[in-house]
Amino acid sequence: MTHLTLQAVTRRFNAAHAVDGVDLSVPDGKLVCFLGPSGCGKTTLLRMIAGLETPSSGSIHFAGRDITRLPANQRDFGMVFQSLALFPHMTVAQNVAYPLKLRKTVKHEQARRVAELLDLIQLPHMANRPVTQLSGGQRQRVAIARAIASQPKLLLLDEPLSALDAKLREAMQVEIRLLQQRLGITTIMVTHDQREAMTMADEIVVMEKGRIAQVGKPLDIYRDPVSEFVADFIGLGNILPVTYDGALGVSLPGGRRIAVAQTARVPDSGGDIRLLIRPEDVCVKPASAEAGANRLAGTVTFIRDVGASLEATIDCAGFTLTATTTPRETPGLTLGMPVLAELPPHACKLIAARAAH
Ligand code: ATP
């Protein structure tokens, strides 16, 4: 069931469109990420859903009701923002109990619920500690517990992990995701980190300049981006300007022709097109391997070997490819080594080039 629906939602600040004609359905119980570069309108869109910002036009419905102009405090949504805004003079338990107190929940019910939530976030032993004495990750969990204390119908998270260091951030991504799945609470999270979105989301909404560029499951977007912008934003990719020859083939910079398996995204308009191949799809072979279709001669110009995986930059005269392999798959790879880079036709996607600015 779709709980939240946005229709042509637009927000202008003076003449500029921060959010421009967004249509979106958020399915019940799912975690949806708004993903995009700084300034693309993610936070403004989330704030309109929260009721902290009013759309210039368009409408927002929740559970069948028009909430476009409903004040934030009447929406019963839970929110966690970048600055967690925990109350520093209160203990962990008092922070979590705060929304229950506001709602005049009876005392023993408040205590029961707080205990349940502290168990859920695995901090029952810290109930009486001032929040100022918690680590960043612990504070994060308290903020989430507070946001879900009054059993909101929708949980809104705006870059809730941006202040944490990389390791804690990854741990919290998993923790929030597991919690969200256990509670089945419909959640929208803003992030500009594609890895975070890929890790956590059921659906990703990629935004570009106030509009939706693509909506879909993380892997679908990764494998089948609709545009150069989306391909570039979601994960590493080799994106090369090519000329389509109309017969399942393209010419690479430098003139070499390679075969592609699908041309679904070749723009009808005849605009510029790009070849996308993800680094893990580029197969690195020894230069002595048999030459063949889609095998390009090149030289290794950079190696990033982090033990579990290995990323090689290959200069192919006219363009550069990045290939991800493992040290086991390509033993003995060294700088300056001539190699063959194979681009399997099924992994070669054609996409419309980004419009020139
Ligand atoms: P970030 O990742 O940097 O937080 P964002 O994608 O969340 O960016 P928004 O904060 O929604 O982007 O901003 C979208 C655009 O709207 C930006 O160009 C921003 O400058 C503008 N904007 C946002 N809020 C206001 C405001 N109150 N007044 C004027 N312009 C605003």
Side-chain angles (χ1 to χ4, degrees):
M1 192 174 105
T2 294
H3 236 104
L4 178 74
T5 338
L6 277 61
Q7 282 170 325
V9 170
T10 295
R11 178 68 169 115
R12 284 182 297 273
F13 291 111
N14 306 315
H17 285 76
V19 172
D20 191 4
V22 165
D23 293 315
L24 184 69
S25 295
V26 175
D28 213 9
K30 301 287 186 204
L31 192 154
V32 174
C33 276
F34 292 171
L35 175 69
S38 184
C40 70
K42 308 178 292 291
T43 295
T44 304
L45 190 57
L46 193 80
R47 285 173 58 81
M48 287 192 282
I49 295 169
L52 299 171
E53 197 80 67
T54 309
S56 309
S57 59
S59 64
I60 302 175
H61 285 76
F62 185 73
R65 177 179 176 209
D66 188 338
I67 59 161
T68 315
R69 277 159 219 292
L70 191 70
N73 59 8
Q74 291 175 31
R75 292 191 186 198
D76 289 338
F77 296 165
M79 296 175 219
V80 179
F81 292 111
Q82 255 168 55
S83 54
L84 301 175
L86 290 174
F87 303 116
H89 55 287
M90 290 186 190
T91 64
V92 167
Q94 287 166 339
N95 263 283
V96 175
Y98 187 77
L100 302 171
K101 220 167 156 182
L102 277 188
R103 295 172 155 237
K104 303 199 171 22
T105 308
V106 288
K107 278 263 160 60
H108 70 271
E109 176 57 19
Q110 275 186 37
R112 190 194 64 75
R113 183 91 183 112
V114 168
E116 189 179 279
L117 285 159
L118 293 185
D119 273 346
L120 193 70
I121 59 166
Q122 294 166 17
L123 292 178
H125 52 294
M126 299 215 172
N128 298 318
R129 217 183 249 202
V131 286
T132 45
Q133 290 176 17
L134 301 184
S135 72
Q138 290 166 339
R139 281 183 214 195
Q140 204 65 45
R141 287 191 244 163
V142 174
I144 289 168
R146 191 179 62 176
I148 60 179
S150 50
Q151 293 175 313
K153 302 278 183 315
L154 189 63
L155 181 60
L156 304 174
L157 309 172
D158 188 359
E159 305 250 11
L161 308 178
S162 59
L164 306 181
D165 66 53
K167 206 160 178 191
L168 184 54
R169 190 175 172 137
E170 297 216 340
M172 286 301 298
Q173 289 167 0
V174 176
E175 219 167 284
I176 294 177
R177 175 59 166 158
L178 291 176
L179 190 65
Q180 183 271 332
Q181 284 179 324
R182 207 172 332 143
L183 299 173
I185 184 169
T186 312
T187 301
I188 303 177
M189 187 174 102
V190 163
T191 180
H192 60 264
D193 177 345
Q194 61 91 15
R195 245 179 87 84
E196 185 161 290
M198 297 281 291
T199 307
M200 298 179 71
D202 291 296
E203 280 207 350
I204 296 180
V205 176
V206 185
M207 294 186 65
E208 180 185 14
K209 294 184 196 150
R211 297 178 182 223
I212 293 181
Q214 189 167 2
V215 181
K217 294 192 174 68
L219 278 182
D220 290 348
I221 295 185
Y222 181 80
R223 292 196 180 123
D224 201 11
V226 295
S227 65
E228 184 178 358
F229 170 81
V230 177
D232 198 18
F233 202 76
I234 302 273
L236 284 176
N238 297 292
I239 301 177
L240 306 170
V242 291
T243 318
Y244 178 50
D245 68 11
L248 293 178
V250 292
S251 303
L252 292 168
R256 173 78 191 264
R257 181 185 188 274
I258 64 157
V260 297
Q262 64 84 32
T263 57
R265 302 257 182 241
V266 176
D268 298 335
S269 55
D272 289 346
I273 56 171
R274 302 280 182 260
L275 172 81
L276 165 72
I277 181 159
R278 298 292 184 188
E280 65 273 22
D281 291 326
V282 177
C283 307
V284 183
K285 312 253 177 215
S288 56
E290 204 178 313
N294 288 35
R295 287 191 177 179
L296 309 167
T299 308
V300 178
T301 55
F302 189 77
I303 295 176
R304 191 205 309 266
D305 186 349
V306 293
S309 67
L310 183 152
E311 193 184 292
T313 307
I314 302 167
D315 184 355
C316 291
F319 59 94
T320 301
L321 290 172
T322 304
T324 321
T325 78
T326 63
R328 204 172 296 166
E329 269 176 68
T330 49
L333 207 65
T334 51
L335 277 185
M337 183 185 257
V339 289
L340 287 179
E342 180 174 355
L343 315 185
H346 71 267
C348 294
K349 302 274 154 71
L350 300 184
I351 49 178
R354 195 192 303 248
H357 296 291

